[in-house]
Structure formats: C-alpha cells, structure tokens
Amino acid sequence: GVAPPVVSTWTCDGAGECPGSLGPVTTAVWPAATREPLVAGFDLVMLDLDGVVYVGPDAVPGAADAIARVRTAGVPVAYVTNNASRTALEVAKHLTELGMPGVSEVDVVTAAQAVARLVAEAVPAGATVLVVGGRGLHEPWAGHGLRCVDAFDDQVAAVVQGYPPDVGWRDL
C-alpha cells in the first residue's frame, strides 16, 4: 500500500501565526521512498472542468494523459462543474471530443444535479419547482420526483435559477 503522509503544523514565528495568513499552516507530505503513484492512495479523483481539464474550447495540455494514468491505476474519475447550462450528457460528449478517456454521462456531476438533489430533500415528493435556466438546469428534476415548470403559480414550492445566455428580465 501507499505509505501514510507525514503531517506537520508549522508557523512563521514563535507567536503561532504567519503575517498575512489565517493562522498556522498544516502540510501533508508523502514519503519520497514510496514506489506507488500518489493516486493509489485515493478512492476517487474529482476534477473541476474549466481551467483544470479544459480552458474554453481547448483541453489543458497533458490533461487527457494524466486522466488516463489515473484510470489505469483503477481510480474512478468524476468531472464536477458549477455550470448548470449543459446536461451531464452534453458535458461528457464535450470531454470525449477533447480527448478525455472513457468519459460517460455518469462520470459528470453538474450544479443542476446537485441543486435538484438539495431541493428534493427540502420539498415534498411531487412538488412543483420553477426552473429559470437552460436545458441543463431543467433535466435532473424528474429523477428526483419533482415537477419542473417555466412559470410561477401558487403551487410552486421552490424556485431555482441558473445561467443560460438567453435569460432576460421577463424570465426572472
């Protein structure tokens, strides 16, 4: 197995704080003598997308190779995004087009999926949710037993708003 990290806490001065910091700094350093890749010590790798896996329309150089090595080590990869405008399937297709290996819809976690889960825990089953946003924001509600609508009425139990480029003041 992977050797456990050496954990230490240090400060810049004897008073216990580093100037300009929030307090003592804790570090974890894996021993250099370990022969296994660092990823072997983890059960899952979660990657943000924009700026980590890709920048705009282009893959980050080396990202596909690094992700392939993680997968080869047997560690699952989750792609996490705070962008709710695209569906998980659209994101997975984009990642595949960029050369990321073995990506499927189930590997992607979007902000829309996360908020649908949170709202489902807060409102009664079958409740109506007013969703203002793009297709990606509309998709996950049925899987949580909630009814998604595009206009407010007295039956709306929750309102969720996300970014699509075409939302205007009338929508809000």
Side-chain angles (χ1 to χ4, degrees):
V2 174
V6 175
V7 178
S8 60
T9 301
W10 55 273
T11 57
C12 293
D13 59 26
E17 289 195 41
C18 297
S21 79
L22 297 177
V25 177
T26 300
T27 60
V29 178
W30 273 260
T34 186
R35 288 187 166 83
E36 294 192 44
L38 178 62
V39 72
F42 295 92
D43 297 325
L44 171 69
V45 172
M46 299 173 67
L47 301 172
D48 183 38
L49 295 180
D50 196 15
V52 175
V53 176
Y54 58 73
V55 177
D58 302 313
V60 168
D65 291 338
I67 292 167
R69 286 193 306 273
V70 168
R71 287 185 174 279
T72 299
V75 178
V77 175
Y79 300 91
V80 183
T81 179
N82 63 350
N83 185 330
S85 65
R86 296 185 295 167
T87 66
L89 180 59
E90 290 169 335
V91 171
K93 286 180 179 179
H94 182 223
L95 291 168
T96 299
E97 290 167 358
L98 292 175
M100 301 308 139
V103 181
S104 73
E105 179 180 10
V106 298
D107 299 324
V108 177
V109 179
T110 69
Q113 293 169 323
V115 76
R117 180 175 176 214
L118 290 172
V119 170
E121 293 172 0
V123 299
T128 300
V129 179
L130 170 59
V131 177
V132 181
R135 182 176 55 251
L137 191 60
H138 282 79
E139 185 177 274
W141 299 96
H144 290 280
L146 300 171
R147 191 170 72 89
C148 173
V149 297
D150 294 323
F152 184 80
D153 65 29
D154 292 341
Q155 302 302 311
V156 170
V159 177
V160 175
Q161 192 265 321
Y163 171 78
D166 58 345
V167 166
W169 284 109
R170 292 182 194 271
D171 300 311
L172 301 175

mmCIF file of all heavy atoms in Angstrom, residues 48-101:
data_model
loop_
_atom_site.group_PDB
_atom_site.id
_atom_site.type_symbol
_atom_site.label_atom_id
_atom_site.label_comp_id
_atom_site.label_asym_id
_atom_site.label_seq_id
_atom_site.Cartn_x
_atom_site.Cartn_y
_atom_site.Cartn_z
ATOM 1 N N ASP A 48 -12.507 19.574 -11.347
ATOM 2 C CA ASP A 48 -13.266 20.695 -11.875
ATOM 3 C C ASP A 48 -12.972 20.740 -13.369
ATOM 4 O O ASP A 48 -11.977 20.181 -13.838
ATOM 5 C CB ASP A 48 -12.835 21.994 -11.183
ATOM 6 C CG ASP A 48 -13.648 23.197 -11.643
ATOM 7 O OD1 ASP A 48 -14.870 23.046 -11.862
ATOM 8 O OD2 ASP A 48 -13.054 24.272 -11.790
ATOM 9 N N LEU A 49 -13.804 21.381 -14.135
ATOM 10 C CA LEU A 49 -13.611 21.361 -15.577
ATOM 11 C C LEU A 49 -12.891 22.583 -16.116
ATOM 12 O O LEU A 49 -11.747 22.505 -16.538
ATOM 13 C CB LEU A 49 -14.965 21.178 -16.276
ATOM 14 C CG LEU A 49 -15.623 19.824 -15.999
ATOM 15 C CD1 LEU A 49 -16.958 19.720 -16.713
ATOM 16 C CD2 LEU A 49 -14.718 18.694 -16.385
ATOM 17 N N ASP A 50 -13.553 23.742 -16.099
ATOM 18 C CA ASP A 50 -12.980 24.921 -16.738
ATOM 19 C C ASP A 50 -11.751 25.399 -15.968
ATOM 20 O O ASP A 50 -11.825 25.745 -14.803
ATOM 21 C CB ASP A 50 -14.018 26.038 -16.846
ATOM 22 C CG ASP A 50 -13.621 27.117 -17.826
ATOM 23 O OD1 ASP A 50 -12.695 26.882 -18.626
ATOM 24 O OD2 ASP A 50 -14.219 28.198 -17.796
ATOM 25 N N GLY A 51 -10.606 25.358 -16.646
ATOM 26 C CA GLY A 51 -9.350 25.763 -16.035
ATOM 27 C C GLY A 51 -8.546 24.607 -15.478
ATOM 28 O O GLY A 51 -7.384 24.763 -15.129
ATOM 29 N N VAL A 52 -9.148 23.428 -15.385
ATOM 30 C CA VAL A 52 -8.448 22.250 -14.883
ATOM 31 C C VAL A 52 -8.325 21.197 -15.991
ATOM 32 O O VAL A 52 -7.241 20.721 -16.292
ATOM 33 C CB VAL A 52 -9.160 21.652 -13.648
ATOM 34 C CG1 VAL A 52 -8.508 20.368 -13.195
ATOM 35 C CG2 VAL A 52 -9.201 22.677 -12.516
ATOM 36 N N VAL A 53 -9.459 20.840 -16.599
ATOM 37 C CA VAL A 53 -9.479 19.861 -17.680
ATOM 38 C C VAL A 53 -9.444 20.567 -19.036
ATOM 39 O O VAL A 53 -8.824 20.097 -19.974
ATOM 40 C CB VAL A 53 -10.707 18.938 -17.563
ATOM 41 C CG1 VAL A 53 -10.795 17.978 -18.739
ATOM 42 C CG2 VAL A 53 -10.651 18.161 -16.244
ATOM 43 N N TYR A 54 -10.135 21.685 -19.134
ATOM 44 C CA TYR A 54 -10.098 22.471 -20.362
ATOM 45 C C TYR A 54 -10.125 23.954 -20.027
ATOM 46 O O TYR A 54 -10.503 24.357 -18.919
ATOM 47 C CB TYR A 54 -11.241 22.112 -21.313
ATOM 48 C CG TYR A 54 -12.645 22.266 -20.756
ATOM 49 C CD1 TYR A 54 -13.235 23.501 -20.559
ATOM 50 C CD2 TYR A 54 -13.396 21.143 -20.445
ATOM 51 C CE1 TYR A 54 -14.514 23.629 -20.060
ATOM 52 C CE2 TYR A 54 -14.678 21.258 -19.945
ATOM 53 C CZ TYR A 54 -15.239 22.504 -19.759
ATOM 54 O OH TYR A 54 -16.511 22.618 -19.258
ATOM 55 N N VAL A 55 -9.708 24.738 -21.002
ATOM 56 C CA VAL A 55 -9.795 26.203 -20.920
ATOM 57 C C VAL A 55 -10.508 26.638 -22.190
ATOM 58 O O VAL A 55 -9.975 26.467 -23.291
ATOM 59 C CB VAL A 55 -8.408 26.865 -20.819
ATOM 60 C CG1 VAL A 55 -8.547 28.385 -20.821
ATOM 61 C CG2 VAL A 55 -7.679 26.403 -19.562
ATOM 62 N N GLY A 56 -11.734 27.146 -22.013
ATOM 63 C CA GLY A 56 -12.530 27.498 -23.182
ATOM 64 C C GLY A 56 -12.754 26.266 -24.039
ATOM 65 O O GLY A 56 -13.120 25.204 -23.540
ATOM 66 N N PRO A 57 -12.464 26.352 -25.328
ATOM 67 C CA PRO A 57 -12.703 25.214 -26.227
ATOM 68 C C PRO A 57 -11.559 24.195 -26.280
ATOM 69 O O PRO A 57 -11.652 23.201 -26.984
ATOM 70 C CB PRO A 57 -12.871 25.900 -27.583
ATOM 71 C CG PRO A 57 -11.987 27.102 -27.493
ATOM 72 C CD PRO A 57 -12.095 27.566 -26.056
ATOM 73 N N ASP A 58 -10.476 24.430 -25.540
ATOM 74 C CA ASP A 58 -9.281 23.590 -25.661
ATOM 75 C C ASP A 58 -8.986 22.810 -24.388
ATOM 76 O O ASP A 58 -9.106 23.330 -23.273
ATOM 77 C CB ASP A 58 -8.063 24.462 -25.978
ATOM 78 C CG ASP A 58 -8.249 25.256 -27.263
ATOM 79 O OD1 ASP A 58 -8.684 24.654 -28.259
ATOM 80 O OD2 ASP A 58 -7.969 26.475 -27.238
ATOM 81 N N ALA A 59 -8.544 21.562 -24.576
ATOM 82 C CA ALA A 59 -8.104 20.744 -23.444
ATOM 83 C C ALA A 59 -6.830 21.334 -22.861
ATOM 84 O O ALA A 59 -5.996 21.869 -23.582
ATOM 85 C CB ALA A 59 -7.858 19.314 -23.902
ATOM 86 N N VAL A 60 -6.690 21.248 -21.548
ATOM 87 C CA VAL A 60 -5.443 21.645 -20.910
ATOM 88 C C VAL A 60 -4.368 20.650 -21.360
ATOM 89 O O VAL A 60 -4.594 19.431 -21.314
ATOM 90 C CB VAL A 60 -5.584 21.637 -19.368
ATOM 91 C CG1 VAL A 60 -4.235 21.771 -18.684
ATOM 92 C CG2 VAL A 60 -6.532 22.746 -18.920
ATOM 93 N N PRO A 61 -3.224 21.131 -21.819
ATOM 94 C CA PRO A 61 -2.169 20.211 -22.264
ATOM 95 C C PRO A 61 -1.811 19.193 -21.172
ATOM 96 O O PRO A 61 -1.587 19.554 -20.023
ATOM 97 C CB PRO A 61 -0.984 21.145 -22.565
ATOM 98 C CG PRO A 61 -1.618 22.472 -22.861
ATOM 99 C CD PRO A 61 -2.836 22.537 -21.969
ATOM 100 N N GLY A 62 -1.802 17.927 -21.544
ATOM 101 C CA GLY A 62 -1.446 16.859 -20.615
ATOM 102 C C GLY A 62 -2.606 16.317 -19.796
ATOM 103 O O GLY A 62 -2.461 15.292 -19.128
ATOM 104 N N ALA A 63 -3.758 16.970 -19.842
ATOM 105 C CA ALA A 63 -4.892 16.537 -19.016
ATOM 106 C C ALA A 63 -5.356 15.133 -19.395
ATOM 107 O O ALA A 63 -5.561 14.287 -18.523
ATOM 108 C CB ALA A 63 -6.047 17.529 -19.120
ATOM 109 N N ALA A 64 -5.518 14.869 -20.682
ATOM 110 C CA ALA A 64 -6.002 13.548 -21.115
ATOM 111 C C ALA A 64 -5.039 12.447 -20.692
ATOM 112 O O ALA A 64 -5.471 11.387 -20.217
ATOM 113 C CB ALA A 64 -6.225 13.537 -22.622
ATOM 114 N N ASP A 65 -3.747 12.680 -20.834
ATOM 115 C CA ASP A 65 -2.756 11.670 -20.435
ATOM 116 C C ASP A 65 -2.784 11.430 -18.928
ATOM 117 O O ASP A 65 -2.714 10.289 -18.466
ATOM 118 C CB ASP A 65 -1.351 12.092 -20.866
ATOM 119 C CG ASP A 65 -1.162 12.051 -22.369
ATOM 120 O OD1 ASP A 65 -1.930 11.327 -23.055
ATOM 121 O OD2 ASP A 65 -0.259 12.749 -22.868
ATOM 122 N N ALA A 66 -2.889 12.500 -18.152
ATOM 123 C CA ALA A 66 -2.928 12.360 -16.695
ATOM 124 C C ALA A 66 -4.183 11.606 -16.258
ATOM 125 O O ALA A 66 -4.120 10.730 -15.386
ATOM 126 C CB ALA A 66 -2.877 13.742 -16.037
ATOM 127 N N ILE A 67 -5.305 11.918 -16.884
ATOM 128 C CA ILE A 67 -6.560 11.234 -16.539
ATOM 129 C C ILE A 67 -6.478 9.767 -16.931
ATOM 130 O O ILE A 67 -6.949 8.891 -16.198
ATOM 131 C CB ILE A 67 -7.758 11.951 -17.197
ATOM 132 C CG1 ILE A 67 -7.937 13.333 -16.543
ATOM 133 C CG2 ILE A 67 -9.027 11.119 -17.083
ATOM 134 C CD1 ILE A 67 -8.860 14.265 -17.292
ATOM 135 N N ALA A 68 -5.863 9.466 -18.063
ATOM 136 C CA ALA A 68 -5.686 8.074 -18.484
ATOM 137 C C ALA A 68 -4.856 7.310 -17.455
ATOM 138 O O ALA A 68 -5.175 6.153 -17.128
ATOM 139 C CB ALA A 68 -5.030 8.018 -19.860
ATOM 140 N N ARG A 69 -3.823 7.934 -16.910
ATOM 141 C CA ARG A 69 -2.991 7.267 -15.897
ATOM 142 C C ARG A 69 -3.791 7.013 -14.618
ATOM 143 O O ARG A 69 -3.635 5.967 -13.977
ATOM 144 C CB ARG A 69 -1.738 8.100 -15.607
ATOM 145 C CG ARG A 69 -0.721 8.026 -16.729
ATOM 146 C CD ARG A 69 0.646 8.583 -16.333
ATOM 147 N NE ARG A 69 0.625 9.926 -15.798
ATOM 148 C CZ ARG A 69 0.677 11.038 -16.535
ATOM 149 N NH1 ARG A 69 0.755 10.962 -17.846
ATOM 150 N NH2 ARG A 69 0.666 12.219 -15.958
ATOM 151 N N VAL A 70 -4.643 7.958 -14.241
ATOM 152 C CA VAL A 70 -5.484 7.773 -13.056
ATOM 153 C C VAL A 70 -6.419 6.590 -13.272
ATOM 154 O O VAL A 70 -6.545 5.711 -12.413
ATOM 155 C CB VAL A 70 -6.282 9.059 -12.750
ATOM 156 C CG1 VAL A 70 -7.364 8.800 -11.712
ATOM 157 C CG2 VAL A 70 -5.353 10.167 -12.291
ATOM 158 N N ARG A 71 -7.050 6.530 -14.431
ATOM 159 C CA ARG A 71 -7.969 5.427 -14.737
ATOM 160 C C ARG A 71 -7.227 4.091 -14.800
ATOM 161 O O ARG A 71 -7.730 3.076 -14.330
ATOM 162 C CB ARG A 71 -8.715 5.698 -16.041
ATOM 163 C CG ARG A 71 -9.769 6.779 -15.907
ATOM 164 C CD ARG A 71 -10.554 6.894 -17.211
ATOM 165 N NE ARG A 71 -11.650 7.807 -17.095
ATOM 166 C CZ ARG A 71 -12.840 7.522 -16.554
ATOM 167 N NH1 ARG A 71 -13.071 6.327 -16.075
ATOM 168 N NH2 ARG A 71 -13.788 8.423 -16.502
ATOM 169 N N THR A 72 -6.032 4.100 -15.382
ATOM 170 C CA THR A 72 -5.223 2.874 -15.457
ATOM 171 C C THR A 72 -4.879 2.364 -14.069
ATOM 172 O O THR A 72 -4.794 1.159 -13.840
ATOM 173 C CB THR A 72 -3.942 3.125 -16.277
ATOM 174 O OG1 THR A 72 -4.324 3.507 -17.603
ATOM 175 C CG2 THR A 72 -3.062 1.903 -16.348
ATOM 176 N N ALA A 73 -4.718 3.277 -13.116
ATOM 177 C CA ALA A 73 -4.433 2.900 -11.729
ATOM 178 C C ALA A 73 -5.671 2.356 -11.022
ATOM 179 O O ALA A 73 -5.610 1.947 -9.868
ATOM 180 C CB ALA A 73 -3.864 4.099 -10.969
ATOM 181 N N GLY A 74 -6.818 2.368 -11.727
ATOM 182 C CA GLY A 74 -8.049 1.826 -11.150
ATOM 183 C C GLY A 74 -8.815 2.792 -10.270
ATOM 184 O O GLY A 74 -9.707 2.390 -9.534
ATOM 185 N N VAL A 75 -8.483 4.077 -10.351
ATOM 186 C CA VAL A 75 -9.162 5.078 -9.537
ATOM 187 C C VAL A 75 -10.220 5.776 -10.401
ATOM 188 O O VAL A 75 -9.899 6.306 -11.464
ATOM 189 C CB VAL A 75 -8.159 6.109 -8.971
ATOM 190 C CG1 VAL A 75 -8.873 7.168 -8.164
ATOM 191 C CG2 VAL A 75 -7.112 5.398 -8.127
ATOM 192 N N PRO A 76 -11.482 5.764 -9.963
ATOM 193 C CA PRO A 76 -12.531 6.431 -10.733
ATOM 194 C C PRO A 76 -12.306 7.941 -10.808
ATOM 195 O O PRO A 76 -11.721 8.544 -9.907
ATOM 196 C CB PRO A 76 -13.813 6.125 -9.957
ATOM 197 C CG PRO A 76 -13.462 5.049 -8.999
ATOM 198 C CD PRO A 76 -11.991 5.124 -8.769
ATOM 199 N N VAL A 77 -12.798 8.540 -11.883
ATOM 200 C CA VAL A 77 -12.691 9.981 -12.092
ATOM 201 C C VAL A 77 -14.096 10.556 -12.185
ATOM 202 O O VAL A 77 -14.943 10.030 -12.910
ATOM 203 C CB VAL A 77 -11.903 10.297 -13.381
ATOM 204 C CG1 VAL A 77 -11.899 11.792 -13.666
ATOM 205 C CG2 VAL A 77 -10.485 9.758 -13.290
ATOM 206 N N ALA A 78 -14.347 11.642 -11.450
ATOM 207 C CA ALA A 78 -15.605 12.378 -11.550
ATOM 208 C C ALA A 78 -15.284 13.779 -12.061
ATOM 209 O O ALA A 78 -14.316 14.399 -11.609
ATOM 210 C CB ALA A 78 -16.299 12.464 -10.195
ATOM 211 N N TYR A 79 -16.065 14.234 -13.010
ATOM 212 C CA TYR A 79 -15.909 15.570 -13.575
ATOM 213 C C TYR A 79 -16.998 16.443 -12.968
ATOM 214 O O TYR A 79 -18.180 16.173 -13.143
ATOM 215 C CB TYR A 79 -16.038 15.523 -15.092
ATOM 216 C CG TYR A 79 -15.002 14.642 -15.734
ATOM 217 C CD1 TYR A 79 -15.248 13.293 -15.975
ATOM 218 C CD2 TYR A 79 -13.761 15.157 -16.094
ATOM 219 C CE1 TYR A 79 -14.288 12.481 -16.555
ATOM 220 C CE2 TYR A 79 -12.795 14.351 -16.674
ATOM 221 C CZ TYR A 79 -13.068 13.011 -16.903
ATOM 222 O OH TYR A 79 -12.114 12.213 -17.482
ATOM 223 N N VAL A 80 -16.599 17.480 -12.238
ATOM 224 C CA VAL A 80 -17.533 18.294 -11.472
ATOM 225 C C VAL A 80 -17.539 19.709 -12.037
ATOM 226 O O VAL A 80 -16.479 20.298 -12.256
ATOM 227 C CB VAL A 80 -17.118 18.321 -9.982
ATOM 228 C CG1 VAL A 80 -18.103 19.102 -9.158
ATOM 229 C CG2 VAL A 80 -16.968 16.900 -9.451
ATOM 230 N N THR A 81 -18.751 20.239 -12.261
ATOM 231 C CA THR A 81 -18.842 21.588 -12.808
ATOM 232 C C THR A 81 -19.933 22.395 -12.110
ATOM 233 O O THR A 81 -20.980 21.854 -11.757
ATOM 234 C CB THR A 81 -19.105 21.565 -14.331
ATOM 235 O OG1 THR A 81 -19.210 22.906 -14.808
ATOM 236 C CG2 THR A 81 -20.373 20.798 -14.691
ATOM 237 N N ASN A 82 -19.658 23.667 -11.927
ATOM 238 C CA ASN A 82 -20.683 24.557 -11.369
ATOM 239 C C ASN A 82 -21.514 25.182 -12.477
ATOM 240 O O ASN A 82 -22.349 26.032 -12.228
ATOM 241 C CB ASN A 82 -20.058 25.639 -10.480
ATOM 242 C CG ASN A 82 -19.126 26.552 -11.245
ATOM 243 O OD1 ASN A 82 -18.774 26.300 -12.405
ATOM 244 N ND2 ASN A 82 -18.703 27.630 -10.611
ATOM 245 N N ASN A 83 -21.312 24.757 -13.695
ATOM 246 C CA ASN A 83 -22.068 25.248 -14.841
ATOM 247 C C ASN A 83 -23.333 24.403 -14.976
ATOM 248 O O ASN A 83 -23.251 23.197 -15.157
ATOM 249 C CB ASN A 83 -21.208 25.139 -16.103
ATOM 250 C CG ASN A 83 -21.869 25.731 -17.318
ATOM 251 O OD1 ASN A 83 -23.087 25.749 -17.438
ATOM 252 N ND2 ASN A 83 -21.056 26.215 -18.233
ATOM 253 N N ALA A 84 -24.487 25.040 -14.899
ATOM 254 C CA ALA A 84 -25.763 24.322 -14.975
ATOM 255 C C ALA A 84 -26.420 24.454 -16.343
ATOM 256 O O ALA A 84 -27.539 23.995 -16.533
ATOM 257 C CB ALA A 84 -26.711 24.848 -13.896
ATOM 258 N N SER A 85 -25.748 25.056 -17.306
ATOM 259 C CA SER A 85 -26.395 25.297 -18.594
ATOM 260 C C SER A 85 -26.400 24.073 -19.503
ATOM 261 O O SER A 85 -27.241 23.951 -20.381
ATOM 262 C CB SER A 85 -25.735 26.475 -19.318
ATOM 263 O OG SER A 85 -24.398 26.169 -19.658
ATOM 264 N N ARG A 86 -25.469 23.129 -19.292
ATOM 265 C CA ARG A 86 -25.411 21.934 -20.134
ATOM 266 C C ARG A 86 -25.773 20.700 -19.319
ATOM 267 O O ARG A 86 -25.530 20.642 -18.114
ATOM 268 C CB ARG A 86 -24.009 21.755 -20.723
ATOM 269 C CG ARG A 86 -23.621 22.874 -21.661
ATOM 270 C CD ARG A 86 -22.293 22.620 -22.318
ATOM 271 N NE ARG A 86 -21.211 22.619 -21.328
ATOM 272 C CZ ARG A 86 -19.983 22.189 -21.569
ATOM 273 N NH1 ARG A 86 -19.660 21.704 -22.755
ATOM 274 N NH2 ARG A 86 -19.061 22.227 -20.638
ATOM 275 N N THR A 87 -26.324 19.698 -20.001
ATOM 276 C CA THR A 87 -26.651 18.439 -19.333
ATOM 277 C C THR A 87 -25.367 17.645 -19.111
ATOM 278 O O THR A 87 -24.337 17.899 -19.743
ATOM 279 C CB THR A 87 -27.609 17.589 -20.188
ATOM 280 O OG1 THR A 87 -26.926 17.178 -21.377
ATOM 281 C CG2 THR A 87 -28.883 18.357 -20.543
ATOM 282 N N ALA A 88 -25.450 16.657 -18.242
ATOM 283 C CA ALA A 88 -24.298 15.789 -17.988
ATOM 284 C C ALA A 88 -23.872 15.081 -19.272
ATOM 285 O O ALA A 88 -22.674 14.913 -19.535
ATOM 286 C CB ALA A 88 -24.621 14.785 -16.890
ATOM 287 N N LEU A 89 -24.832 14.677 -20.098
ATOM 288 C CA LEU A 89 -24.507 14.012 -21.361
ATOM 289 C C LEU A 89 -23.769 14.964 -22.302
ATOM 290 O O LEU A 89 -22.778 14.565 -22.932
ATOM 291 C CB LEU A 89 -25.774 13.482 -22.029
ATOM 292 C CG LEU A 89 -25.574 12.761 -23.358
ATOM 293 C CD1 LEU A 89 -24.653 11.550 -23.186
ATOM 294 C CD2 LEU A 89 -26.913 12.332 -23.930
ATOM 295 N N GLU A 90 -24.206 16.202 -22.387
ATOM 296 C CA GLU A 90 -23.515 17.187 -23.233
ATOM 297 C C GLU A 90 -22.084 17.415 -22.749
ATOM 298 O O GLU A 90 -21.156 17.513 -23.551
ATOM 299 C CB GLU A 90 -24.286 18.512 -23.249
ATOM 300 C CG GLU A 90 -25.595 18.445 -23.992
ATOM 301 C CD GLU A 90 -26.472 19.670 -23.783
ATOM 302 O OE1 GLU A 90 -26.345 20.363 -22.755
ATOM 303 O OE2 GLU A 90 -27.298 19.931 -24.670
ATOM 304 N N VAL A 91 -21.909 17.488 -21.444
ATOM 305 C CA VAL A 91 -20.573 17.684 -20.885
ATOM 306 C C VAL A 91 -19.697 16.474 -21.208
ATOM 307 O O VAL A 91 -18.542 16.614 -21.623
ATOM 308 C CB VAL A 91 -20.630 17.931 -19.362
ATOM 309 C CG1 VAL A 91 -19.236 17.927 -18.747
ATOM 310 C CG2 VAL A 91 -21.347 19.247 -19.063
ATOM 311 N N ALA A 92 -20.234 15.265 -21.036
ATOM 312 C CA ALA A 92 -19.479 14.044 -21.321
ATOM 313 C C ALA A 92 -19.062 13.997 -22.794
ATOM 314 O O ALA A 92 -17.918 13.631 -23.105
ATOM 315 C CB ALA A 92 -20.300 12.812 -20.956
ATOM 316 N N LYS A 93 -19.960 14.362 -23.684
ATOM 317 C CA LYS A 93 -19.625 14.376 -25.118
ATOM 318 C C LYS A 93 -18.518 15.385 -25.406
ATOM 319 O O LYS A 93 -17.602 15.107 -26.175
ATOM 320 C CB LYS A 93 -20.866 14.688 -25.951
ATOM 321 C CG LYS A 93 -21.831 13.534 -26.046
ATOM 322 C CD LYS A 93 -23.041 13.900 -26.892
ATOM 323 C CE LYS A 93 -23.998 12.726 -27.005
ATOM 324 N NZ LYS A 93 -25.189 13.070 -27.796
ATOM 325 N N HIS A 94 -18.590 16.557 -24.781
ATOM 326 C CA HIS A 94 -17.555 17.572 -24.972
ATOM 327 C C HIS A 94 -16.202 17.073 -24.478
ATOM 328 O O HIS A 94 -15.177 17.242 -25.146
ATOM 329 C CB HIS A 94 -17.957 18.864 -24.264
ATOM 330 C CG HIS A 94 -16.995 19.982 -24.445
ATOM 331 N ND1 HIS A 94 -16.617 20.792 -23.413
ATOM 332 C CD2 HIS A 94 -16.313 20.420 -25.527
ATOM 333 C CE1 HIS A 94 -15.739 21.680 -23.857
ATOM 334 N NE2 HIS A 94 -15.544 21.483 -25.130
ATOM 335 N N LEU A 95 -16.183 16.444 -23.318
ATOM 336 C CA LEU A 95 -14.937 15.908 -22.772
ATOM 337 C C LEU A 95 -14.353 14.836 -23.698
ATOM 338 O O LEU A 95 -13.144 14.782 -23.916
ATOM 339 C CB LEU A 95 -15.161 15.353 -21.371
ATOM 340 C CG LEU A 95 -15.457 16.401 -20.300
ATOM 341 C CD1 LEU A 95 -15.944 15.741 -19.020
ATOM 342 C CD2 LEU A 95 -14.251 17.276 -20.043
ATOM 343 N N THR A 96 -15.215 14.003 -24.257
ATOM 344 C CA THR A 96 -14.766 12.976 -25.194
ATOM 345 C C THR A 96 -14.178 13.617 -26.446
ATOM 346 O O THR A 96 -13.123 13.197 -26.932
ATOM 347 C CB THR A 96 -15.932 12.038 -25.557
ATOM 348 O OG1 THR A 96 -16.392 11.403 -24.355
ATOM 349 C CG2 THR A 96 -15.507 10.984 -26.559
ATOM 350 N N GLU A 97 -14.838 14.674 -26.950
ATOM 351 C CA GLU A 97 -14.322 15.394 -28.125
ATOM 352 C C GLU A 97 -12.946 16.000 -27.844
ATOM 353 O O GLU A 97 -12.121 16.110 -28.743
ATOM 354 C CB GLU A 97 -15.293 16.502 -28.531
ATOM 355 C CG GLU A 97 -16.592 16.002 -29.120
ATOM 356 C CD GLU A 97 -17.658 17.087 -29.210
ATOM 357 O OE1 GLU A 97 -17.415 18.245 -28.781
ATOM 358 O OE2 GLU A 97 -18.762 16.770 -29.688
ATOM 359 N N LEU A 98 -12.701 16.374 -26.602
ATOM 360 C CA LEU A 98 -11.411 16.953 -26.218
ATOM 361 C C LEU A 98 -10.343 15.880 -25.960
ATOM 362 O O LEU A 98 -9.206 16.217 -25.641
ATOM 363 C CB LEU A 98 -11.573 17.827 -24.971
ATOM 364 C CG LEU A 98 -12.387 19.101 -25.160
ATOM 365 C CD1 LEU A 98 -12.578 19.807 -23.829
ATOM 366 C CD2 LEU A 98 -11.724 20.022 -26.169
ATOM 367 N N GLY A 99 -10.734 14.621 -26.073
ATOM 368 C CA GLY A 99 -9.760 13.541 -25.924
ATOM 369 C C GLY A 99 -9.664 12.937 -24.542
ATOM 370 O O GLY A 99 -8.766 12.138 -24.273
ATOM 371 N N MET A 100 -10.581 13.291 -23.643
ATOM 372 C CA MET A 100 -10.545 12.702 -22.313
ATOM 373 C C MET A 100 -10.996 11.247 -22.413
ATOM 374 O O MET A 100 -11.992 10.948 -23.064
ATOM 375 C CB MET A 100 -11.446 13.467 -21.335
ATOM 376 C CG MET A 100 -11.088 14.936 -21.172
ATOM 377 S SD MET A 100 -9.363 15.223 -20.782
ATOM 378 C CE MET A 100 -9.029 16.639 -21.810
ATOM 379 N N PRO A 101 -10.290 10.332 -21.769
ATOM 380 C CA PRO A 101 -10.557 8.907 -21.948
ATOM 381 C C PRO A 101 -11.726 8.379 -21.121
ATOM 382 O O PRO A 101 -11.887 8.732 -19.962
ATOM 383 C CB PRO A 101 -9.245 8.261 -21.485
ATOM 384 C CG PRO A 101 -8.699 9.222 -20.478
ATOM 385 C CD PRO A 101 -9.104 10.589 -20.961
#
